[in-house]
Amino acid sequence: MNDSKTSGLCVVMPTYNNAGTLRDVVERTLQFCPNVIVVNDGCTDNSSEILASFGERIKVVSYGRNRGKGYALRQGFEKAKELGFEYVITIDSDGQHFPRDIQLFIKAFNQHPGALIVGSRNLNEENMPGKNTFANKFSNFWFKIQTGVKLPDTQTGYRLYPLNSLPNLKLLTSRYEAELELLVGAAWRGVDLIPIKINVFYPKAEERVTHFRPFWDFLRISVLNTVLCILALFYGLPSRLIRRARRRHD
């Protein structure tokens, strides 16, 4: 894959009731990647009509009720595999990500073939919600404990995944924290995790549409981190030691 060819790459965009930004994000994404899969995660606004207006320019995966971002990502990944794609860039539909940064992901992947490219936001960005900054620092700390890998942003949804290197897609969780689970699983499998700086836009609080539930989602992240720490002792750490021994032997 290189900058001029995106035949093996697609974009997966989960969406839930972001009709106000959806059309613009899809249009701008198509400027940088012609292969776009949008997962309609049980939208109850007019998102379905917006997606239908694109006709065959995009692929749409839909189901009747909201199942959470993790479930939506899994459906998008499975559709991408079904269509023969090897790499997926995930992007949010709420307008916080800049589709032009797709070029940055492709450039980074060309420099690090086989890696999982992780977008890193400026956590001091104007209008960045304070709870997001705290949750990210909390998650970064436990991610380092679980994997031995230090990343500046483990909560971002803007990433490039090599599909064949991902862990089993039957995830433990179906909501936001699934993205953390995917990172941890990839690290345990020895996939290189490469952070790159990305642009991000956060509107003022009164203009923001978010489905993040501060108490419940933070609780779910905490529970997942507890489970992952236990699994790290019995699987993650032994896997890292075995890979390190093999590299020394080779």
Side-chain angles (χ1 to χ4, degrees):
M1 183 174 65
N2 56 51
D3 291 309
S4 62
K5 294 183 180 180
T6 56
S7 58
L9 168 74
C10 72
V11 171
V12 167
M13 185 187 304
T15 189
Y16 176 61
N17 289 356
N18 281 123
T21 54
L22 181 59
R23 182 183 300 279
D24 176 64
V25 175
V26 173
E27 288 282 9
R28 288 188 291 135
T29 300
L30 286 168
Q31 295 175 18
F32 297 98
C33 181
N35 312 310
V36 175
I37 299 171
V38 181
V39 183
N40 180 347
D41 185 23
C43 293
T44 57
D45 57 7
N46 66 325
S47 292
S48 297
E49 290 78 6
I50 292 171
L51 295 175
S53 71
F54 283 93
E56 296 184 356
R57 296 174 63 197
I58 63 173
K59 301 291 184 183
V60 179
V61 177
S62 298
Y63 38 88
R65 65 180 179 88
N66 179 248
R67 303 289 295 271
K69 191 175 184 182
Y71 184 87
L73 286 172
R74 187 175 75 184
Q75 298 305 305
F77 291 161
E78 290 178 349
K79 185 65 174 179
K81 284 186 173 183
E82 176 187 321
L83 295 173
F85 294 108
E86 299 176 77
Y87 313 101
V88 162
I89 290 179
T90 57
I91 186 172
D92 292 346
S93 65
D94 61 2
Q96 69 166 287
H97 297 147
F98 289 72
R100 66 171 181 263
D101 286 348
I102 287 172
Q103 301 168 104
L104 301 179
F105 284 90
I106 294 174
K107 180 180 179 181
F109 188 83
N110 286 332
Q111 295 170 345
H112 305 277
L116 196 164
I117 312 299
V118 186
S120 298
R121 302 163 293 177
N122 175 6
L123 297 181
N124 297 314
E125 191 75 29
E126 184 179 6
N127 297 324
M128 171 73 79
K131 61 180 181 292
N132 288 28
T133 302
F134 173 78
N136 196 39
K137 290 180 179 178
F138 178 87
S139 179
N140 292 352
F141 171 79
W142 287 109
F143 180 78
K144 176 71 180 301
I145 297 296
Q146 294 153 4
T147 66
V149 178
K150 185 177 181 180
L151 284 178
D153 189 354
T154 55
Q155 294 290 299
T156 176
Y158 208 174
R159 302 172 179 173
L160 187 155
Y161 293 94
L163 287 178
N164 292 333
S165 298
L166 288 182
N168 192 321
L169 290 179
K170 292 182 179 179
L171 301 171
L172 296 173
T173 180
S174 63
R175 296 191 64 83
Y176 288 99
E177 64 275 16
E179 290 172 315
L180 174 61
E181 184 182 341
L182 286 167
L183 272 189
V184 172
W188 286 349
R189 290 171 64 93
V191 179
D192 289 334
L193 307 180
I194 305 297
I196 63 169
K197 291 183 179 180
I198 59 170
N199 298 292
V200 65
F201 169 72
Y202 279 100
K204 296 179 181 179
E206 61 271 18
E207 301 171 351
R208 186 181 303 129
V209 177
T210 178
H211 305 295
F212 184 82
R213 305 167 303 169
F215 176 79
W216 290 110
D217 285 325
F218 186 74
L219 177 62
R220 290 172 66 94
I221 291 172
S222 299
V223 171
L224 177 63
N225 273 312
T226 301
V227 173
L228 291 176
C229 283
I230 296 171
L231 292 176
L233 290 174
F234 296 99
Y235 176 77
L237 180 58
S239 297
R240 286 165 53 197
L241 294 175
I242 291 172
R243 285 196 305 273
R244 188 176 303 171
R246 286 176 175 173
R247 284 198 297 266
R248 288 176 178 173
H249 179 73
D250 294 339

